[in-house]
Amino acid sequence: MTRPFSKVLIANRGEIALRVHRACQEMGIRTVAVHSTADASAMHVRLADESVCIGPPPARESYLNVAAILSAATITGAEAIHPGYGFLSENARFAEMVEAHGLTFIGPTAEHIRMMGDKIAAKDAMRRLGVPLVPGSLGALESLEEARAVAEQVKYPVLIKAAAGGGGRGMKVARHEGELEEAWRVARTEAKAAFGDDSVYMEKYLDRPRHIELQVLADTHGNVVHFGERDCSLQRRHQKLVEEAGSPVLSAAERDALGAQVTKALRELGYRNAGTLEFLWQDGQFAFIEMNTRLQVEHPVTEMVCGVDLVREQIRIAGGEALGYGQEDVRFSGHAIECRITAEDPESFAPSPGRVSTYHAPGGLGVRVDSALYSGYAVPPHYDSLVAKLVVHAPTRAGAIARARRALDEMVVDGIRTTLPLHRRIMDDPEFQSGDYTIHWLERFVSRAG
Amino acid sequence: MTRPFSKVLIANRGEIALRVHRACQEMGIRTVAVHSTADASAMHVRLADESVCIGPPPARESYLNVAAILSAATITGAEAIHPGYGFLSENARFAEMVEAHGLTFIGPTAEHIRMMGDKIAAKDAMRRLGVPLVPGSLGALESLEEARAVAEQVKYPVLIKAAAGGGGRGMKVARHEGELEEAWRVARTEAKAAFGDDSVYMEKYLDRPRHIELQVLADTHGNVVHFGERDCSLQRRHQKLVEEAGSPVLSAAERDALGAQVTKALRELGYRNAGTLEFLWQDGQFAFIEMNTRLQVEHPVTEMVCGVDLVREQIRIAGGEALGYGQEDVRFSGHAIECRITAEDPESFAPSPGRVSTYHAPGGLGVRVDSALYSGYAVPPHYDSLVAKLVVHAPTRAGAIARARRALDEMVVDGIRTTLPLHRRIMDDPEFQSGDYTIHWLERFVSRAG
Amino acid sequence: MSNGVTVDADAIRKLAEILRDTDLTEIEVAEKDARIRVARVIPAPAPAQYFAAPAMAPMQAMAAAPAQAAAPAAPAAAPAPAAAPSLDASHPGLVTSPMVGVAYLSPEPGSAPYITLGAKVTAGQTLLLIEAMKTFNQIKAPKAGTVTRILIDNGTPVEYGEPLVLVE
Amino acid sequence: MSNGVTVDADAIRKLAEILRDTDLTEIEVAEKDARIRVARVIPAPAPAQYFAAPAMAPMQAMAAAPAQAAAPAAPAAAPAPAAAPSLDASHPGLVTSPMVGVAYLSPEPGSAPYITLGAKVTAGQTLLLIEAMKTFNQIKAPKAGTVTRILIDNGTPVEYGEPLVLVE
């Protein structure tokens, strides 16, 4: 068996730390877990071969504490660091420091992380590389007059967005010319406040788009392969709740065409490791919105339909191995759905940390659970509310929905409130079952009586 | 979605009752669980849409109580009965009575169950149909002289077996002529005592065979498709412990050749529903030993490599639906391994029923657990010791073994003794990893120090 | 309560507190003639809470319904009120069903029932019939006594062990 | 409680503690007329027992090893004896590591250590160094007192919160 490293430090917590640990263990690689004092009895700490406490509960002093993590890698003799998602996973400076310490960062180069972290630079790059974009300004808007001109050109409604933005902050819609000036001002003020940078740019506002993203792997030998799309349109406040592979609206030919454009672009860019290009899709048109230079929460749905272990591939690539297969070897089989179960009230979405009195995972054919829960575990209040990902796979989309429904019925997380009831409602909903939904669907669904 | 029945009674318990329930629920079919008083709080009872207590703990008075089960079906309005494995699943009389009550038996015809239940009749049929057999007597031996003549012809060592046999009773080896007479006498005496019938037959004794079986589905429209082989050579006292799909020794061409012979035979036989033909394999030669006219415990490994839901297919076939696909549509992908976790001491194999204080199922990519356990459940002492099937799937056999190993490490069944430690040892063993083992391997492995 | 039992509430509460604090499940304190024993069951999660409760199923409803002797004859599959008065299954005069089937209170449709509430019965007297597999099985009184409850309606499906009649 | 039961809370709590330490499930103590009996149900396995214990990992060994002040300097990654005396992390005089790194007891290789067992220290006096990210961080005494335990060896890797020195 190939074993690119003998020891890997996992700079994360929760289900994704466990996910990386599992891949490492199956590859015969020893793991080092790092954890805050709040996570001393967490699953990723218990299962890891070694563990190092790196700080107090606040993430800033532990999971975002670069010095502590690098020290932990040094004293344990880890050869590489997997950042998971969130935390330091898209921190170019961290990636640089890891390499400066003679360790391998399991991810892209710092240069590419930085490029894709700047939303304007990312779009510039993708435009040059021939990836379709939302019509809009070619970079930051210098003035209100320029904004007005661009809006005339792409036609209202338009969206003004912070160049350094994310999470919906510094983002304003102008539905007609009369709304433009205020949208311009507010977006800039918010951008300045949130990111310390008031650069904004403009895009045509799509009123009923879907969020469709493409998973890519690139090795250090120039091979780039895509693993098809994920439809992540079911979002609430920009948080994905349910993801599917493939998208109910995409044909194999459309997937192939987009995949060819994207892999060509990343090959030219010299990108390496895992990456995801996010698109808005409306009326058959794709528009690039951003690229995530890391593993995504929803990567399992891709693994289910392609039969690939994306984390294993990330580690192999970081170790300098060639993919060893081409685009023609990637086959898509059946349909997969992921339900993100969070420790939140299923109606108010109020966080619900606390002790899990009983945890029982569903089982059987086509059911995968990625979770760091166990009976007796206390979900700490300091971190993300994601506690379990239920992933199902079946030959058809209808079969996957039926499987998700029965697995949700078997799943027990007692002692805290979770979004399990909401997921059951979604799976039962005829509109969801029809596949005809946009990124606005879930907000309306949630606001309906439970 | 197709729904051949609106309500199905599951005439079984434990993980297989749950397995059938899951398939029904995903098809939109309501389920009726039957149970003994010992199983009132069992998982299959809790999850079923309806449940009926059919008798006291002894299986003879509950799970083998035909009258109680048929009454339960009648009073609940079930349209079909799935027998699972064991209990009444290969009872031709039960299948007849189910049909006589106007219900559908989810399985083969009583005639075929009866034919395959008689080991001599089964071999006669398979011989006529061109399926390869172990060289031996053409039916029951009339006399010691005949036995001697057949043994001369097929060459020693030979095996004398009860016609009505099973479970190793009424089975004796004669390694040379001097041992024949005693083997003949003892086998007949045991056969008489165990089965009330002293008919015996003779087979060439294979000294280092593998147990390889072929999974078949046949609909009522003449379509017969096979789903490849399972290697079940890892047995202790004729009980399978670990199963793999595919077999480490079989090439795709050999699988295709055997599959073609078998599907042709079953098509001629007019067989329907699921069935498994068991073979001994040695030096590239297959020899039919028996056919199981039901779902097998180890069916999940086939499901993993073929992406088929065998229970769903059984139900569809029983509902009169055509398979809807041909042999060319069945694809084999990767490798699957099943570990049967039993409530037994991992060294002495002493049964260990009792309360499970903590049950924690492993998760992540390529891991499936079929188990009726939950934290707080008391494993009753009345029934089979199988408490969980851990099934893993990976692109390669080595990957599947590594995945099984890490999943076994994550799995927790506290409060009772289980064979989890034994399975960890097997996965770690270089000989098992090499794939070079026979049906005798496990007995020797187990007898080695733990 | 001059010569009865003195309930020393304070002492009991004190013991209960210790029990809670210490993870003990039982404390017994005895002194001369007095003895206090406090115990608690560690609330191992109750089985019934482990799983998403399935919709009340007909058979489960049936199991509960017969316990309400005074209830109007409801359709067998109608959901029973949740709080049907329960009867201890080990009650010595309780006659339970020895088989799965359909219970009949009279020998044939339209005829008088075998028993009525308050009737005196002798040991071995037929109380009702259970039809299973097209045969009618007589369910007999295990002892002489008075019929104090009839727990099933005529024509009700019954499961094994289900309470039928109380003879006291 | 003249004619009631005397609740000897101290005795009960003491018995509870013994019960916990010994894994017993019941203790009964009788003396003349008095009798105390305590029992407990062994709780569902504590979290630490839920999972197949991984091989003793270096860092876990490190966490345990420093507690043995008198032990000979063992290689950092050597497995620690299971029963290292434990120190309550909330002990007021305990100095714990504010960072992950490597602890050094002297300013430079070969020089005299900052402190020795039994030394008097003043508040703010440097006790040791922790190297993290190639910088050496002085760990200072939080209060004046006597060094009663030194819980790490020179050159030992330490994790966040790990006990270093006890000043009493």
Side-chain angles (χ1 to χ4, degrees), chain A residues 280-345:
Chain A
L280 291 180
W281 178 96
Q282 188 170 317
D283 306 323
Q285 299 297 315
F286 284 97
F288 171 82
I289 44 177
E290 64 177 52
M291 177 167 183
N292 292 318
T293 53
R294 56 165 168 85
L295 194 66
Q296 305 265 101
V297 176
E298 61 272 23
H299 76 277
V301 289
T302 300
E303 295 184 322
M304 302 305 268
V305 296
C306 296
V308 64
D309 182 337
L310 290 171
V311 178
R312 183 191 192 96
E313 294 305 287
Q314 284 193 293
I315 296 169
R316 285 182 54 233
I317 291 167
E321 292 183 27
L323 289 182
Y325 47 81
Q327 191 61 52
E328 65 283 4
D329 300 310
V330 178
R331 300 199 191 288
F332 302 95
S333 168
H335 192 89
I337 295 177
E338 172 178 283
C339 295
R340 295 195 192 186
I341 319 293
T342 55
E344 294 176 314
D345 184 280

Side-chain angles (χ1 to χ4, degrees), chain B residues 71-124:
Chain B
S71 295
T74 305
I75 65 176
T76 55
E79 299 154 28
I81 296 184
H82 195 299
Y85 53 68
F87 293 135
L88 296 166
S89 63
E90 289 179 295
N91 183 319
R93 182 87 188 105
F94 176 64
E96 271 168 358
M97 291 176 78
V98 169
E99 305 276 347
H101 275 69
L103 308 173
T104 302
F105 179 76
I106 302 176
T109 59
E111 175 204 358
H112 287 141
I113 295 174
R114 193 166 281 125
M115 174 190 288
M116 298 306 164
D118 178 333
K119 303 307 168 196
I120 291 180
K123 289 197 177 180
D124 277 351

Side-chain angles (χ1 to χ4, degrees), chain B residues 75-412:
Chain B
I75 65 176
T76 55
E79 299 154 28
I81 296 184
H82 195 299
Y85 53 68
F87 293 135
L88 296 166
S89 63
E90 289 179 295
N91 183 319
R93 182 87 188 105
F94 176 64
E96 271 168 358
M97 291 176 78
V98 169
E99 305 276 347
H101 275 69
L103 308 173
T104 302
F105 179 76
I106 302 176
T109 59
E111 175 204 358
H112 287 141
I113 295 174
R114 193 166 281 125
M115 174 190 288
M116 298 306 164
D118 178 333
K119 303 307 168 196
I120 291 180
K123 289 197 177 180
D124 277 351
M126 289 303 164
R127 180 180 292 113
R128 278 197 313 277
L129 294 163
V131 174
L133 270 76
V134 191
S137 60
L138 293 170
L141 293 166
E142 296 301 321
S143 64
L144 177 58
E145 287 63 45
E146 190 188 346
R148 198 162 272 140
V150 174
E152 288 301 323
Q153 192 193 325
V154 305
K155 301 209 180 356
Y156 288 92
V158 296
L159 198 57
I160 299 179
K161 295 170 83 173
R169 286 175 302 175
M171 192 187 291
K172 291 292 151 200
V173 179
R175 302 196 172 267
H176 49 79
E177 206 195 330
E179 288 182 359
L180 188 66
E181 186 171 345
E182 189 182 348
W184 159 264
R185 279 191 218 285
V186 175
R188 279 166 57 100
T189 307
E190 278 191 18
K192 183 76 181 176
F195 313 109
D197 175 1
D198 65 0
S199 304
V200 296
Y201 62 102
M202 181 182 288
E203 278 178 358
K204 165 115 181 123
Y205 176 66
L206 301 173
D207 56 344
R208 45 186 179 81
R210 301 179 75 106
H211 174 121
I212 296 180
E213 61 189 28
L214 198 82
Q215 175 68 55
V216 178
L217 284 180
D219 66 18
T220 52
H221 307 271
N223 304 301
V224 184
V225 167
H226 76 86
F227 293 86
E229 82 286 3
R230 295 184 285 260
D231 196 317
C232 311
S233 303
L234 260 56
Q235 305 183 359
R236 182 185 164 272
R237 303 198 178 165
H238 301 276
Q239 297 297 311
K240 298 166 186 167
L241 219 86
V242 172
E243 297 100 345
E244 310 190 49
S247 169
V249 297
L250 221 59
S251 69
E254 287 170 307
R255 172 191 302 144
D256 290 349
L258 181 70
Q261 283 180 311
V262 166
T263 49
K264 176 170 174 291
L266 294 195
R267 205 172 289 118
E268 284 179 34
L269 196 63
Y271 189 81
R272 74 164 196 219
N273 217 289
T276 298
L277 283 86
E278 298 192 331
F279 296 89
L280 290 181
W281 178 96
Q282 187 169 319
D283 305 323
Q285 298 298 314
F286 284 96
F288 171 82
I289 44 178
E290 65 178 49
M291 176 166 184
N292 292 318
T293 54
R294 54 163 168 86
L295 193 67
Q296 306 264 100
V297 177
E298 60 272 23
H299 76 278
V301 290
T302 299
E303 296 184 322
M304 303 305 270
V305 296
C306 296
V308 65
D309 182 337
L310 290 172
V311 178
R312 183 191 193 96
E313 296 304 287
Q314 285 193 292
I315 296 169
R316 286 182 55 233
I317 291 167
E321 293 184 26
L323 288 181
Y325 46 80
Q327 190 62 52
E328 65 283 6
D329 300 309
V330 178
R331 299 198 192 289
F332 302 94
S333 167
H335 193 89
I337 295 176
E338 172 178 283
C339 296
R340 295 196 192 186
I341 319 293
T342 55
E344 293 176 315
D345 184 281
E347 291 177 18
S348 70
F349 294 93
S352 178
R355 191 162 302 277
V356 174
S357 53
T358 304
Y359 171 65
H360 186 89
L365 177 59
V367 173
R368 165 182 176 182
V369 181
D370 279 31
S371 172
L373 289 183
Y374 58 85
S375 295
Y377 173 68
V379 177
H382 312 284
Y383 313 109
D384 191 86
S385 61
L386 181 68
V387 291
K389 301 189 306 201
L390 168 64
V391 188
V392 296
H393 183 231
T396 62
R397 183 168 186 271
I401 293 171
R403 186 155 286 164
R405 189 62 179 84
R406 78 101 179 134
L408 286 164
D409 272 352
E410 288 180 22
M411 189 164 186
V412 180

